[in-house]
Amino acid sequence: MDIVVRLKAGKQVHSCYDALIITTNHSTKAAQEAAERLNITLINGVAVHDIITRWRKQRVK
């Protein structure tokens, strides 16, 4: 959860509209709740794999 709070601070300092945390595993429930509250998107390893797979299929067409 610490990284979520630190990213929120960085988002504010640099006036970013969006912030994402991409992990190779799953996030804790506390991190998910904090990210939702702070408007930060969490993406886990399975979602990353799915996104890349869809992207590759689209490129082949």
Side-chain angles (χ1 to χ4, degrees):
M1 183 172 93
D2 181 52
I3 193 67
V4 175
V5 175
R6 289 172 53 197
L7 184 59
K8 174 64 175 179
K11 181 180 169 183
Q12 290 175 324
V13 167
H14 297 288
S15 301
C16 297
Y17 181 74
D18 290 321
L20 296 96
I21 296 175
I22 301 173
T23 68
T24 57
N25 207 337
H26 296 285
S27 303
T28 64
K29 182 72 172 168
Q32 292 170 4
E33 290 170 353
E36 185 175 332
R37 191 173 59 254
L38 299 173
N39 196 27
I40 293 174
T41 303
L42 293 179
I43 302 175
N44 68 26
V46 173
V48 170
H49 180 269
D50 292 346
I51 291 166
I52 292 170
T53 300
R54 283 193 309 270
W55 175 77
R56 284 182 176 160
K57 286 179 182 177
Q58 290 175 354
R59 286 189 47 131
V60 172
K61 292 180 181 181

